[in-house]
Amino acid sequence: LFRFKEFSKASVMKILNLSAPIVLQYLFSMGGWFIFFLVIERLGKHQLAISSVIRNTIVIMMMPIWAYFTAANSMVSNEIGQGKSDEVWTLVKKIIKLSVLSIGIIIIICLIIPEKILSISTSNPDIILDALPSFYVICIACFLFSISAILLSAVSGTGATKVTMIIEFIIITLYLSYLYLLTRLDVSIAVFWTGEILYWLTMGIMSFLYLRSNRWKKIIL
């Protein structure tokens, strides 16, 4: 346990080169989420209360997808490590199908008993009623998330962490620009939550285009 091999600067630099973009990627992601709630807070206490309920709900809905997200990252890396890079896309499609099926079941349940789902986070009937439009918006966002998250995870699993960082930066820039535009307009809180649809849709498209371009194969050669 207390015997260490000789320090390898090359190995450390390789690890940092791979991991540093991931750190920045999550910094952009969490930063965008933080700014979103700062914007909502300025809209009023009622809007913030609605968004807090929606946030709690969407976190619960996304739990199964995060599991597939982690699995996709590990399994894509494993396939490449075994020299089966040609099977990566087939694997990704299988994981996406499972992810979509899982979130589809959750969304159906949520649409059948939306008030019950929202009541998990609040007992205020006015907040539950006013949160329904935003709730329907995040159901759409979660469906897109079940696809986009797997695609982005697959990109990261290929070792292209700098690409995922760039994708995240571009998406957050679009996302924040969209939020800024909405602050100039007189729109409901549900419209602000449509930013999640823009976020995940853009992520899915960019990740899909990168994977299908096969540029990631140059990294592993």
Side-chain angles (χ1 to χ4, degrees):
L1 178 63
F2 297 101
R3 295 179 181 178
F4 300 96
K5 293 182 179 181
E6 184 179 349
F7 177 78
S8 174
K9 182 179 179 181
S11 297
V12 171
M13 292 305 296
K14 190 174 183 179
I15 292 172
L16 289 176
N17 185 56
L18 191 66
S19 62
I22 298 177
V23 175
L24 291 175
Q25 175 194 337
Y26 281 101
L27 179 64
F28 296 146
S29 178
M30 294 299 102
W33 190 245
F34 176 71
I35 292 174
F36 172 80
F37 277 93
L38 287 180
V39 171
I40 298 302
E41 184 180 19
R42 293 179 177 272
L43 297 179
K45 292 183 178 179
H46 188 64
Q47 289 84 349
L48 181 60
I50 291 173
S51 292
S52 295
V53 171
I54 296 299
R55 178 195 60 197
N56 295 339
T57 305
I58 198 172
V59 167
I60 295 173
M61 293 175 67
M62 285 180 172
M63 283 183 180
I65 305 175
W66 284 120
Y68 288 116
F69 176 92
T70 303
N73 190 287
S74 300
M75 293 180 73
V76 166
S77 297
N78 186 270
E79 287 288 283
I80 293 174
Q82 294 184 56
K84 300 178 180 179
S85 57
D86 292 337
E87 299 180 14
V88 165
W89 185 241
T90 301
L91 172 65
V92 171
K93 289 192 291 185
K94 288 181 179 179
I95 298 175
I96 288 176
K97 289 179 181 178
L98 291 172
S99 179
V100 169
L101 177 62
S102 299
I103 196 62
I105 295 172
I106 293 174
I107 290 175
I108 290 173
I109 295 173
C110 288
L111 293 178
I112 293 174
I113 50 171
E115 291 88 355
K116 294 290 184 181
I117 299 298
L118 293 173
S119 66
I120 296 174
S121 300
T122 181
S123 58
N124 189 317
D126 293 331
I127 293 179
I128 292 175
L129 181 63
D130 293 341
L132 284 174
S134 300
F135 179 70
Y136 297 136
V137 169
I138 66 165
C139 283
I140 299 173
C142 281
F143 178 79
L144 294 173
F145 174 60
S146 68
I147 302 172
S148 301
I150 307 305
L151 292 172
L152 184 70
S153 180
V155 174
S156 180
T158 64
T161 55
K162 291 181 180 178
V163 174
T164 58
M165 180 192 67
I166 293 171
I167 290 175
E168 190 72 53
F169 177 77
I170 294 173
I171 295 169
I172 286 297
T173 301
L174 290 174
Y175 179 73
L176 295 180
S177 298
Y178 180 70
L179 287 182
Y180 176 76
L181 176 63
L182 293 181
T183 59
R184 316 298 294 180
L185 305 173
D186 184 19
V187 296
S188 67
I189 187 65
V191 178
F192 277 88
W193 276 100
T194 59
E196 297 297 309
I197 296 177
L198 173 66
Y199 182 94
W200 295 116
L201 181 62
T202 308
M203 176 181 289
I205 293 173
M206 295 183 69
S207 300
F208 173 80
L209 291 176
Y210 179 79
L211 286 173
R212 294 303 290 172
S213 71
N214 289 326
R215 293 179 182 176
W216 54 273
K217 291 185 177 181
K218 297 179 181 179
I219 299 176
I220 63 178
L221 293 177

